[in-house]
């Protein structure tokens, strides 16, 4: 049976790249998923799986999301009432937090309790933004099934200056070392988020997206 994957268009995100990556993951996994880039809350509310991308400043992304009438309510319905698999990417992951602290205090969705604050590496030689390829220190999660992690694992692509510090350690699935541990992936129930960009992370990213398309939380 074909499933609809709704990638939310709210004016912020690598929508073309994300859609192409999901389409490729669908083909390579032999699945029958229809990828829909949409700004229609009704489509999001009815989707089988939902993806919230995001690039740029936290407050700008939150304003963009709120500017689409009914979108936050549609996301709530899909993720919480219908328990559909939900994936946030980069700032889309950060918006799952309680609040963002980038320049001003901005309320988040509150799905993964915690704050999004500036990265402060212990090594002053490390530049901000954190940008480039890194391996993951990860625990067990269905979205990481079959993906080599650890020092010899596959690499994920990061570009960010702020990171989510979750209130509950068990919500953090993976971290990256950048002058200390930085949250790379969070998950709770049917909701997950990656700070890195799966659509730009080649083998690791395609494997993670395929796992998301098959995920039955």
């Amino acid at each position: 049976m074909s499933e609809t994957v709704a990638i939310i268009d709210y004016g912020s995100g690598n929508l073309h790249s994300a859609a192409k990556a999901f389409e490729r993951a669908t083909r390579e996994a032999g699945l029958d998923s229809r990828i829909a880039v949409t700004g229609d809350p009704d489509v999001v509310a009815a989707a089988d799986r939902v993806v919230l991308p995001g690039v740029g400043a936290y407050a700008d992304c939150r304003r963009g999301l709120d500017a689409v009438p009914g979108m936050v309510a549609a996301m709530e319905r899909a993720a919480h009432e219908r328990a559909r698999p939900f994936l946030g990417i980069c700032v889309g992951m950060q918006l799952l937090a309680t609040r963002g602290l980038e320049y001003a205090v901005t309320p988040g969705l509150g799905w993964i309790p915690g704050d999004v604050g500036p990265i402060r590496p212990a090594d002053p030689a490390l530049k901000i933004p954190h940008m480039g390829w890194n391996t993951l220190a990860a625990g067990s999660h269905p979205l990481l099934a079959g993906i080599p992690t650890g020092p010899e694992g596959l690499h994920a692509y990061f570009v960010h200056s702020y990171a989510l510090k979750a209130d509950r350690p068990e919500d953090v699935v993976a971290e990256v070392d950048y002058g200390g541990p930085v949250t790379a992936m969070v998950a709770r129930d049917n909701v997950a988020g990656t700070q890195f960009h799966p659509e730009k992370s080649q083998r690791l990213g395609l494997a993670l997206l395929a796992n998301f398309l098959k995920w039955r939380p």
Side-chain angles (χ1 to χ4, degrees):
M1 181 182 294
S2 178
E3 291 191 337
T4 298
V5 180
I7 301 177
I8 300 174
D9 180 1
Y10 62 107
S12 180
N14 297 315
L15 300 176
H16 180 75
S17 296
K20 290 300 180 185
F22 269 100
E23 289 168 359
R24 181 177 173 185
T26 296
R27 290 194 305 271
E28 294 188 359
L31 300 171
D32 185 20
S33 298
R34 186 177 73 88
I35 311 304
V37 176
T38 180
D40 186 338
D42 291 337
V43 174
V44 172
D48 299 292
R49 298 170 191 275
V50 179
V51 179
L52 178 66
V55 294
Y58 188 103
D60 289 344
C61 288
R62 180 66 210 236
R63 280 193 291 269
L65 199 56
D66 290 338
V68 183
M71 184 57 79
V72 172
M75 290 163 47
E76 292 272 0
R77 182 181 175 198
H80 299 314
E81 293 180 26
R82 302 181 66 232
R84 298 308 189 194
F86 188 103
L87 178 66
I89 296 174
C90 197
V91 181
M93 180 202 93
Q94 294 180 1
L95 289 171
L96 302 176
T98 306
R99 58 183 188 166
L101 306 179
E102 186 174 355
Y103 305 120
V105 177
T106 303
L109 297 169
W111 298 3
I112 304 286
D115 288 345
V116 176
I119 302 171
R120 294 192 173 95
D123 182 352
L126 292 173
K127 295 181 179 180
I128 300 297
H130 166 215
M131 182 167 59
W133 297 86
N134 299 90
T135 58
L136 305 176
S140 176
H141 190 273
L143 296 193
L144 295 174
I147 298 176
T149 57
E152 304 302 319
L154 297 179
H155 287 72
Y157 181 76
F158 291 83
V159 54
H160 63 123
S161 301
Y162 294 79
L164 196 163
K165 186 173 179 58
D167 290 348
R168 302 195 333 166
E170 58 267 35
D171 289 341
V172 179
V173 173
E175 295 178 327
V176 61
D177 182 7
Y178 197 70
V182 175
T183 299
M185 180 175 171
V186 295
R188 178 188 286 194
D189 301 326
N190 59 304
V191 174
T194 64
Q195 180 61 66
F196 56 90
H197 287 271
E199 75 278 11
K200 297 182 179 180
S201 295
Q202 299 181 356
R203 285 179 58 202
L204 183 153
L206 286 172
L208 185 143
L209 296 182
N211 285 339
F212 174 73
L213 293 170
K214 294 181 284 189
W215 189 27
R216 304 287 179 189

